[in-house]
Amino acid sequence: MDLHFSLDDVSQYTRKLTPAHIDYRVWPPIPNESASWNKAHIEDHVDAKKHGSSVMSTQKISSGKVVIQEYPQIKHLDHSLVFYRCSQCFRRNADVKCRNKNCPWDLHYCNKKCEARHWSSSHRWLCRFPELSKYIDMTQENFQFHTGETPMILKSYFISNQAKIPSLVSNLDKHGLSDRKKYREKAQMIAAVLHLIRDNAVNELAEIQGQIRCNTIAIRETNHEWGVTEILGKAIYLSASKINHSCDPNAIAYFGKDPGHDPCLLRVRASRDIPPQEQICISYAFTAAKHEKEARQNSLQTLYFFHCQCGACRMSNEENYAAYIYQCPNCSKGRLAAGQVSCRDCKKRPDWMKIAMIEQKADTHVEKGQYVAAAKLQEIIYHKSALQWGEVMDKLGERFAEREDYEKAAKCVMASLKAVRDTFGATSIETSHELKKLSSLLFNGQNYDKAKSIVIEAIRVYKALGLDEQNGTEYKELEKVKKMLKNVPDIPFTTKI
Ligand SMILES: C[S@@+](CC[C@H](N)C(=O)[O-])C[C@H]1O[C@@H](n2cnc3c(N)ncnc32)[C@H](O)[C@@H]1O
């Protein structure tokens, strides 16, 4: 739907507004106690290479340790959830309504305390503008997701004392012309409805939309029983927003699931050991090992308006170990990156035409779900650490598991575990998934000895990454398997994996 708006549309509302409707002081100053850093701090740079501000470690941070936990300064529950979730804390079972019986926003809360907090922090003011709520659904889905709905813009505008949000980048000059036009149209609409007569109001409201787009984090919740992740809403975390992106990150951001958890509490954990004075980075979208440099850079440019200059992107393919996915067809020892002129081990030239043909055939088999045929071809060209090989092995493992052939399934998942571990590291989310899968296959296949060591390793990785809190249900399953394995008598085991 088009966002087109004309001032005539809102004149009926502006007529009835007077300054008495508008009390800008309703918003409290931005709280700065909502974030707590651990062994890390924000550094402001003018140095372009460091991409503006960044977050640096002050001491060694061990893998799995929390670097920051932060509550959002600005948040907004997704419009589709207003009947089921509390608009203040985003928890379920919200049956208390807004004190204003005619509230145009149809908001619900889990209790009166949440209602009161939401009311005093922003809603008592927004509640007076039914005309703004009607613009929520007028945005295009995509556009709406990135910019946030009108309340998100308004909360940002007023919380920051009617200018841009302090110290957050907007990269506005890099947003496309049509996007900038939409920001202005929306800014004009808001300024007209609210009767904002300050000269700069439209510019500021447009800039804020750029800031929201570059800094908003989607608050997610995973239902482990159903295996689905739901986006609850959007939020801005003023401190965590200072963490830059890397395609080869050393930290991960997540929303905790500890008992009585606050769904909006963001945590960032080290995903590997970080030495002092190293920049802490998360991945906004892509992981180097999984996507080609060009694809990553294009997406980051389109979604977040910057040209990625992280370590992985600055490396050429020749330097990027993860790009060495092929196995030399001449000596079967050397690892090759696509198009590499000669093998470093045997010095011979690989036949890239032939490799490309085999790869294309293998891809066709993968598309058709013919994984055995794909694996036979991939085995000729790929190194056993290549993710492409690992993914096909994983699919084959699934097929064997469906047929309850756990021995073969485990063998395949062992192969995919190797590829994933070599690519993403021994302590990574990806490796944790493979370990979890493998432990149940080994258990089901009664390979108890091997299952024991894999379960212990899985528990280590889960704990190191904080997945014991985040994926509580999965973690409990691992603990349960470990307990059961303790009680298994030493059964002589014959199958070798
Ligand atoms: C969420 S902010 C991160 C903090 C930001 N550096 C600052 O000064 O506030 C995201 C912005 O930082 C910059 N940035 C983050 N990671 C980057 C990277 N890998 N390469 C280049 N610029 C990056 C981009 O301008 C991006 O839009």
Side-chain angles (χ1 to χ4, degrees), residues 51-53 171 215 241-242 244-245 284 304 306-309:
H51 334 308
S53 308
N171 294 340
N215 294 281
S241 277
K242 293 288 158 190
N244 283 324
H245 161 91
Y284 295 174
Y304 303 102
F306 68 89
H307 174 73
C308 184
Q309 291 163 34

Side-chain angles (χ1 to χ4, degrees), residues 54-91:
S54 55
V55 173
M56 307 294 288
S57 59
T58 50
Q59 295 171 40
K60 181 188 166 200
I61 304 174
S62 309
S63 169
K65 289 278 174 254
V66 175
V67 177
I68 180 174
Q69 52 176 20
E70 187 175 17
Y71 292 98
Q73 274 73 14
I74 301 157
K75 62 181 171 187
H76 186 64
L77 181 72
D78 193 274
H79 192 58
S80 64
L81 299 173
V82 289
F83 292 114
Y84 322 105
R85 298 226 174 217
C86 174
S87 282
Q88 169 61 24
C89 69
F90 293 17
R91 287 186 177 91

Side-chain angles (χ1 to χ4, degrees), residues 317-336:
N317 264 355
E318 289 279 302
E319 296 163 316
N320 188 352
Y321 189 69
Y324 285 76
I325 58 169
Y326 300 95
Q327 152 176 289
C328 173
N330 299 313
C331 66
S332 303
K333 273 195 211 146
R335 290 183 70 160
L336 307 169

Side-chain angles (χ1 to χ4, degrees), residues 227-449:
V228 286
T229 296
E230 188 179 18
I231 292 184
L232 304 186
K234 304 161 203 114
I236 289 187
Y237 297 83
L238 284 188
S239 299
S241 277
K242 293 288 158 190
I243 303 178
N244 283 324
H245 161 91
S246 167
C247 296
D248 183 18
N250 53 12
I252 47 169
Y254 71 95
F255 295 92
K257 269 231 133 208
D258 24 343
H261 79 285
D262 180 331
C264 304
L265 177 63
L266 173 82
R267 287 194 185 126
V268 176
R269 266 178 203 269
S271 54
R272 54 178 185 240
D273 287 349
I274 303 176
Q277 288 310 312
E278 185 174 296
Q279 187 176 166
I280 295 168
C281 293
I282 55 172
S283 174
Y284 295 174
F286 291 100
T287 307
K290 256 195 153 166
H291 300 270
E292 294 287 336
K293 184 157 110 182
E294 208 183 307
R296 293 190 326 254
Q297 296 218 324
N298 287 343
S299 295
L300 289 165
Q301 188 76 54
T302 317
L303 291 172
Y304 303 102
F305 311 101
F306 68 89
H307 174 73
C308 184
Q309 291 163 34
C310 76
C313 285
R314 285 205 304 268
M315 275 183 206
S316 66
N317 264 355
E318 289 279 302
E319 296 163 316
N320 188 352
Y321 189 69
Y324 285 76
I325 58 169
Y326 300 95
Q327 152 176 289
C328 173
N330 299 313
C331 66
S332 303
K333 273 195 211 146
R335 290 183 70 160
L336 307 169
Q340 193 176 314
V341 181
S342 62
C343 169
R344 285 187 193 158
D345 284 73
C346 67
K347 314 284 180 244
K348 290 189 183 151
R349 288 171 85 93
D351 181 347
W352 284 109
M353 283 279 276
K354 196 171 159 193
I355 295 174
M357 266 169 55
I358 298 175
E359 192 170 35
Q360 206 174 15
K361 277 189 192 162
D363 287 349
T364 313
H365 286 306
V366 172
E367 273 166 31
K368 291 183 181 164
Q370 298 161 340
Y371 299 115
V372 176
K376 278 187 186 153
L377 292 174
Q378 288 195 341
E379 203 170 12
I380 306 169
I381 53 169
Y382 289 139
H383 193 271
K384 298 294 168 288
S385 298
L387 270 186
Q388 287 83 341
W389 165 253
E391 276 165 11
V392 164
M393 285 289 115
D394 196 56
K395 291 280 181 208
L396 268 178
E398 260 175 38
R399 292 270 165 95
F400 285 122
E402 278 164 17
R403 287 186 229 148
E404 298 188 8
D405 187 343
Y406 297 115
E407 189 188 334
K408 283 199 182 128
K411 214 169 179 176
C412 293
V413 175
M414 287 280 250
S416 82
L417 171 66
K418 178 181 165 40
V420 166
R421 204 186 248 155
D422 288 355
T423 310
F424 296 107
T427 311
S428 62
I429 303 242
E430 291 80 0
T431 300
S432 77
H433 292 158
E434 293 308 298
L435 287 167
K436 166 87 178 37
K437 213 179 306 170
L438 186 57
S439 64
S440 38
L441 290 174
L442 291 166
F443 185 79
N444 288 341
Q446 299 181 353
N447 188 345
Y448 299 125
D449 275 349

